[in-house]
Amino acid sequence: MENIEKDLYDAAAQLIESRYPIGWGGAAAVRTESGTILTSVAPDVKNDALSLCMEVGAYLEAHKLNEAITHSLCICREDEKGEFLVLSPCGICQERLAHWGGDVKAAITTEENQLVFKTLRELMPHHWSLVNGSAL
């Protein structure tokens, strides 16, 4: 495993432990082309229609800094005693990451809960952009 991947995992885990010391917790961490690690959590909302994925804050911060994302990771745990589980990016977040191209690496869910990263191109080999010749 690359240090980048472990560093992202550690940054997200530290955020969960500080932001959610008790009960459920989830956080995301992304790495930008400059090596900066940005973290975020999903906002608490009263109406589920307003919810956002945990990664969105970090994606927006990367946009603000005008830096490309190279790696993305999202983890959660059921409670403060539970293990951290790696969550694959949902389809919407995969499309958000596509802004930075098919080489962006995202952590994926595995049966063994191992830390595995795949490129967006691997996650979406039949991406809709194939029809206009600008495939990931």
Side-chain angles (χ1 to χ4, degrees), residues 47-121:
N47 178 340
D48 284 344
L50 302 174
S51 66
L52 292 169
C53 298
M54 290 178 248
E55 303 98 307
V56 174
Y59 296 170
L60 293 173
E61 186 72 12
H63 272 288
K64 182 184 89 177
L65 297 172
N66 198 28
E67 289 199 34
I69 289 176
T70 62
H71 294 73
S72 181
L73 168 135
C74 189
I75 60 174
C76 73
R77 62 157 198 232
E78 290 301 316
D79 59 42
E80 66 276 7
K81 293 181 176 88
E83 71 175 315
F84 291 114
L85 304 172
V86 178
L87 304 172
S88 296
C90 72
I92 293 170
C93 282
Q94 288 180 44
E95 288 293 336
R96 290 172 175 143
L97 287 169
H99 172 75
W100 293 286
D103 291 327
V104 173
K105 292 183 176 182
I108 61 163
T109 304
T110 66
E111 288 184 29
E112 304 82 22
N113 194 37
Q114 294 176 323
L115 190 55
V116 175
F117 282 72
K118 299 280 184 181
T119 65
L120 285 181
R121 198 171 287 110

Side-chain angles (χ1 to χ4, degrees), residues 16-26 77-81:
I16 291 170
E17 290 170 351
S18 66
R19 174 68 174 81
Y20 305 103
I22 299 172
W24 180 92
R77 62 157 198 232
E78 290 301 316
D79 59 42
E80 66 276 7
K81 293 181 176 88

Side-chain angles (χ1 to χ4, degrees), residues 31-47:
R31 181 182 186 269
T32 67
E33 62 192 345
S34 71
T36 301
I37 292 178
L38 305 169
T39 60
S40 58
V41 297
D44 294 330
V45 295
K46 302 233 186 272
N47 178 340

